[in-house]
Amino acid sequence: MSQYVNRAVVLAKRPNGEPQNDDFRIEEQPLSELAEGEILVRTLWLSLDPYMRPRMNDMKSYAAPTPIGGIMTGEVVGVVMESRSANYAVGDRITAYGGWQEYFVKPDDAPMMYKIQETGIPLQAYLGAAGMTGRTAYFGLTEIGKPQQGDTLVVSAASGAVGGIVGQLGKMHGCKVIGIAGGSEKCKFVVEELGFDACVDYKAGNLEKDLQQACPNGIDIYFENVGGDVTRAVATLLNEGSRVPICGYVSNYNDTDLSKVQTPQDILATSPHPPTARFFVQTEWQEQHQQTTQKLAQWIKDGKLVYRESIAEGIEQSIPAFQGMLTGKNFGKQLVLIAAE
Ligand code: NDP
């Protein structure tokens, strides 16, 4: 038996709507001795992401649901504590799908596990702006949005982990970038810190009018993060030839029956100018993982990409932080500091 004691957050039961505290359980779980080719990792940072909510449902998706009693899925930054692998040394920092837990054991050929090529940016950025959410922004915008100089690009959940990067990349491509976010504080940040041209507060009560005013030439690219009423307002303003990377639709993730939801595809089809739109998953470009991570890390180091984080501390706090993120309580990339080095 290992000398380390692991605590993990498991799915106790499937939520009905917003996840409640008793949908989760924190368990002590034994850690086995390492077999040849395995590493023992201590989690330093846990990434919390909206996709984890649909995984709690028992429904078909691009990824299998989390089983009842199973550890909540999640990507982490960790440090190798013990190694029986020639590929990893004690002290190596890695990103891996370790789950919501303090320690984990992985074979050294585990899928989507990478050694961090450190460049001096904060470690947790490899979960955010230089990590999965940064790559999501990069691939969705460049591969599906296909930005051109002068395009009007609208981004929802604009202050968030993905949205904040999309807008800054859009500016690099010469687009006019309009954010949509919840509340004046988030909108102020999106314009003043992230450099968007304008930001519409969808909670202010005049979404359609405010968006129309911010986009006098219509919308060429809409980066979809939220769905629902925001997408309905965008759909009326799309130009002929517009493109919509459908990244996610977080406003519906807590709905009790996702099969009854009007999806972004359904809403966009009602537009006077239906766009070229498709749902994508960032792993479609997995072979570009390393080069894109390095590119994003360099932009962060050079001050060309900025971001904000909401940080919870300790494994217990992962649950309220996750619940809050699904209703917009986070401000920027939601992380949990599991252990300081
Ligand atoms: P964020 O950091 O943007 O956090 C979620 C945000 O969603 C909240 O801060 C909130 O912002 C907004 N939100 C929550 N509820 C609502 C609502 N009812 N209506 C409108 N907005 C709402 O998360 P991410 O950047 O990590 O994720 C953004 C989207 O990207 C999600 O849909 C996610 O599933 C998707 N995604 C997809 C990936 C892919 O490969 N396709 C990979 C990663 C993420 P506000 O306060 O402004 O409303």
Side-chain angles (χ1 to χ4, degrees):
M1 208 55 105
S2 165
Q3 58 170 309
Y4 300 103
V5 178
N6 180 37
R7 287 187 307 159
V9 179
V10 303
L11 179 63
K13 59 185 173 65
R14 302 211 179 275
N16 181 26
E18 286 190 28
Q20 305 299 310
N21 291 344
D22 61 357
D23 295 330
F24 305 89
R25 190 170 62 241
I26 298 182
E27 283 182 357
E28 270 192 19
Q29 295 198 342
L31 286 161
S32 53
E33 288 293 337
L34 292 188
E36 193 54 40
E38 288 185 336
I39 56 175
L40 171 75
V41 182
R42 180 178 201 184
T43 305
L44 302 175
W45 293 93
L46 167 66
S47 172
L48 293 179
D49 299 280
Y51 75 82
M52 296 163 173
R53 175 63 189 87
R55 295 260 178 108
M56 298 171 83
N57 297 340
D58 189 11
M59 63 176 268
K60 262 203 173 145
S61 159
Y62 63 90
T66 306
I68 300 294
I71 297 170
M72 291 289 294
T73 311
E75 194 179 23
V76 309
V77 163
V79 58
V80 177
M81 306 295 285
E82 292 177 5
S83 175
R84 290 193 66 194
S85 160
N87 302 334
Y88 290 91
V90 170
D92 280 350
R93 275 84 162 261
I94 63 159
T95 53
Y97 281 82
W100 296 24
Q101 56 183 337
E102 294 175 318
Y103 295 90
F104 58 93
V105 171
K106 286 269 185 205
D108 61 5
D109 60 351
M112 303 212 276
M113 183 163 85
Y114 298 91
K115 223 183 269 189
I116 294 177
Q117 312 294 329
E118 291 183 45
T119 50
I121 62 170
L123 268 186
Q124 70 272 26
Y126 290 97
L127 297 172
M132 188 276 279
T133 47
R135 288 188 301 274
T136 301
Y138 181 88
F139 294 130
L141 181 66
T142 55
E143 300 286 339
I144 302 173
K146 300 193 190 307
Q148 303 292 322
Q149 175 92 22
D151 278 350
T152 297
L153 162 66
V154 170
V155 186
S156 52
S159 73
V162 174
I165 302 299
V166 171
Q168 293 176 79
L169 297 177
K171 289 305 296 178
M172 289 184 196
H173 284 278
C175 298
K176 177 179 175 187
V177 181
I178 312 299
I180 303 176
S184 56
E185 201 195 346
K186 286 186 176 177
C187 281
K188 189 166 181 269
F189 165 76
V190 163
V191 173
E192 292 181 4
E193 307 288 326
L194 301 183
F196 287 37
D197 295 287
C199 186
V200 173
D201 174 5
Y202 75 90
K203 290 182 173 165
N206 308 302
L207 174 58
E208 281 186 21
K209 234 174 151 187
D210 291 349
L211 192 60
Q212 197 172 15
Q213 237 165 38
C215 305
N217 300 320
I219 298 171
D220 301 300
I221 308 171
Y222 170 52
F223 196 101
E224 171 70 296
N225 282 323
V226 306
D229 287 342
V230 169
T231 310
R232 283 182 199 99
V234 166
T236 61
L237 298 172
L238 289 170
N239 290 331
E240 221 168 296
S242 56
R243 287 85 64 198
V244 179
I246 305 178
C247 181
Y249 46 115
V250 63
S251 72
N252 293 117
Y253 290 176
N254 278 333
D255 285 13
T256 46
D257 188 353
L258 271 183
S259 68
K260 298 215 168 79
V261 161
Q262 205 186 8
T263 66
Q265 291 279 24
D266 298 334
I267 298 168
L268 293 166
T270 67
S271 167
H273 299 119
T276 302
R278 85 162 170 92
F279 181 76
F280 72 95
V281 186
Q282 42 85 27
T283 48
E284 291 174 44
W285 299 275
Q286 195 65 21
E287 76 290 349
Q288 295 176 46
H289 181 288
Q290 290 293 276
Q291 73 202 64
T292 309
T293 300
Q294 290 308 316
K295 193 185 267 190
L296 292 163
Q298 192 60 47
W299 280 333
I300 293 167
K301 210 173 167 192
D302 296 343
K304 291 183 180 150
L305 277 185
V306 297
Y307 57 88
R308 183 174 169 135
E309 299 168 333
S310 285
I311 297 177
E313 288 190 29
I315 192 88
E316 297 83 358
Q317 293 306 312
S318 51
I319 298 167
F322 177 63
Q323 291 162 325
M325 181 186 62
L326 294 168
T327 54
K329 289 207 178 78
N330 64 313
F331 193 159
K333 172 73 201 162
Q334 182 65 59
L335 294 157
V336 187
L337 176 62
I338 301 290
E341 271 191 293

